[in-house]
């Protein structure tokens, strides 16, 4: 008790809460079950959100690189179509590890309740400068064992309705041009089934920050 304010315990109490709440886990399962996608505000503790923002903004510019399009062999840079710059999260950075732990708790819960068999999670910070975009795409192709469940967490401190930068999701295969518009509001989490949902990122009038991540099923093919 004598060292309560300055020992390792003090540090522990400042650590962000990395476990999703029961309400968050239930909302994720409900959204995936009902329609295969969901938008959730206040999905994580403010301390965790703040730690992720702090980490993002302490990363130097050279820690980010231009994102490409396509997988392995056909990977290419197409800046008109996709122009964000990314930094892959690593367990060695505490805030990044906290997000990876949070996502892993989601992974385990979803597996337990929806039997999705998700095995791994990978994620990167993404920075879209004003005017940059990501054209319509799907994150995974059916039958290729890879990305199964996509997640996006928005990290800006504020976002006004006329700032642009919406995520457009096209959830209805029978009405391929009918989009749901999602504004990248602070702390908002979006999740969707990777194989089923074409989507795109519209240009914004200001810098747009997020973490995009993917839960994967390990298949027979190499990845
Ligand atoms: C992606 C993506 C959506 C967004 O990185 O694959 O679709 O809203 N991101 O940032
Ligand atoms: Mn995508």
């Amino acid at each position: 008790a004598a060292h309560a304010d300055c020992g390792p315990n003090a540090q522990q109490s400042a650590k962000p809460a990395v476990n999703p709440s029961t309400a968050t886990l239930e909302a994720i399962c409900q959204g995936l079950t009902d329609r295969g996608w969901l938008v959730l505000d206040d999905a994580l503790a403010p301390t965790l959100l703040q730690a992720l923002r702090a980490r993002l903004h302490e990363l130097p510019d050279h820690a980010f690189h231009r994102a490409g399009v396509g997988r392995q062999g056909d990977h290419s840079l197409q800046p008109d179509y996709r122009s964000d710059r990314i930094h892959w999260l690593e367990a060695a950075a505490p805030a990044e590890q906290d997000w990876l732990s949070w996502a892993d708790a989601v992974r385990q819960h979803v597996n337990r309740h929806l039997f999705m068999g998700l095995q791994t999670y990978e994620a990167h910070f993404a920075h879209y400068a004003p005017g940059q975009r990501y054209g319509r795409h799907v994150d995974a192709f059916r039958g290729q064992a890879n990305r199964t469940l996509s997640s996006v967490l928005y990290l800006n401190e504020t976002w006004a309705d006329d700032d642009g930068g919406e995520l457009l999701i096209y959830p209805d295969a029978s009405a391929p041009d009918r989009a749901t518009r999602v504004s990248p509001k602070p702390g908002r989490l979006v999740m969707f089934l990777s194989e089923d949902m074409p989507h795109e990122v519209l240009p914004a009038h200001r810098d747009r920050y997020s973490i995009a991540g993917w839960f994967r099923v390990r298949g027979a093919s190499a990845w």
Side-chain angles (χ1 to χ4, degrees), residues 41-73:
D41 289 321
D42 306 317
L44 51 157
T47 46
L48 176 53
L49 189 59
Q50 204 44 53
L52 292 168
R53 283 185 183 129
R55 174 59 182 160
L56 169 72
H57 293 297
E58 92 186 7
L59 283 166
D61 191 60
H62 64 77
F64 287 79
H65 61 270
R66 260 283 149 75
V69 176
R71 307 185 62 225
Q72 288 145 8

Side-chain angles (χ1 to χ4, degrees), residues 105-187:
V106 170
R107 183 185 70 79
Q108 291 181 39
H109 185 88
V110 163
N111 281 349
R112 210 153 41 231
H113 292 269
L114 305 183
F115 309 104
M116 289 184 69
L118 306 172
Q119 287 170 309
T120 62
Y121 179 76
E122 61 185 353
H124 60 60
F125 288 114
H127 171 211
Y128 293 78
Q132 295 186 332
R133 62 191 283 266
Y134 192 167
R136 180 168 170 152
H137 66 282
V138 287
D139 289 340
F141 297 99
R142 192 172 288 283
Q144 292 183 2
N146 53 38
R147 293 170 168 179
T148 302
L149 178 59
S150 301
S151 65
V152 193
L153 173 70
Y154 298 112
L155 293 180
N156 284 75
E157 303 244 12
T158 63
W159 199 268
D161 288 335
D162 57 6
D163 283 335
E166 287 95 347
L167 169 66
L168 300 188
I169 306 177
Y170 301 90
D172 187 354
S174 65
D177 295 324
R178 188 181 306 154
T180 297
R181 296 175 83 90
V182 182
S183 179
K185 294 283 182 188

Side-chain angles (χ1 to χ4, degrees), residues 60-107:
D61 191 60
H62 64 77
F64 287 79
H65 61 270
R66 260 283 149 75
V69 176
R71 307 185 62 225
Q72 288 145 8
D74 61 1
H75 186 92
S76 65
L77 292 175
Q78 299 177 30
D80 295 339
Y81 172 74
R82 179 178 189 188
S83 40
D84 58 321
R85 297 176 74 240
I86 63 172
H87 171 86
W88 288 98
L89 270 60
E90 287 165 16
E96 298 176 23
Q97 173 60 65
D98 286 344
W99 175 249
L100 297 173
S101 299
W102 194 95
D104 200 63
V106 170
R107 183 185 70 79

